[in-house]
């Protein structure tokens, strides 16, 4: 996970996150696995500390690693 507003969660697995963040990440990952689309989720607003509704457009990207070995 990479989050400029929550650097403390960077590099963590979803199961290591607080429930609100874990649920959001699981929704985003599931949508990606299904080919992408819009995801509506709840995330803590860093300015207020309160949960806010957010929307993300998720696009599945294929990555191929090239190796010279």
């Amino acid at each position: 996970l990479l989050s400029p507003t929550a650097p403390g969660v960077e590099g963590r697995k979803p199961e290591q996150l607080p429930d609100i963040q874990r649920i959001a990440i699981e929704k985003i990952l599931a949508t990606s696995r299904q080919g992408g689309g819009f995801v509506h989720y709840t995330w803590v607003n860093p300015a207020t500390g309160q949960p806010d509704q957010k929307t993300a457009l998720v696009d599945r990207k294929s990555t191929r690693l090239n190796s010279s070995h």
Side-chain angles (χ1 to χ4, degrees):
L1 174 65
L2 177 62
S3 176
T5 60
V9 301
E10 289 184 19
R12 289 180 163 181
K13 295 180 181 184
E15 56 272 9
Q16 297 172 311
L17 299 173
D19 286 345
I20 195 168
Q21 294 170 338
R22 179 186 50 76
I23 292 166
I25 296 303
E26 287 173 349
K27 283 180 153 182
I28 291 168
L29 290 173
T31 301
S32 174
R33 289 183 190 108
Q34 295 171 357
F38 285 96
V39 179
H40 303 285
Y41 62 96
T42 304
W43 197 262
V44 175
N45 182 323
T48 66
Q50 298 298 312
D52 270 346
Q53 294 300 307
K54 298 185 69 83
T55 301
L57 176 58
V58 177
D59 185 18
R60 182 176 183 165
K61 297 291 182 186
S62 176
T63 303
R64 185 181 342 168
L65 300 176
N66 293 320
S67 175
S68 60
H69 302 288

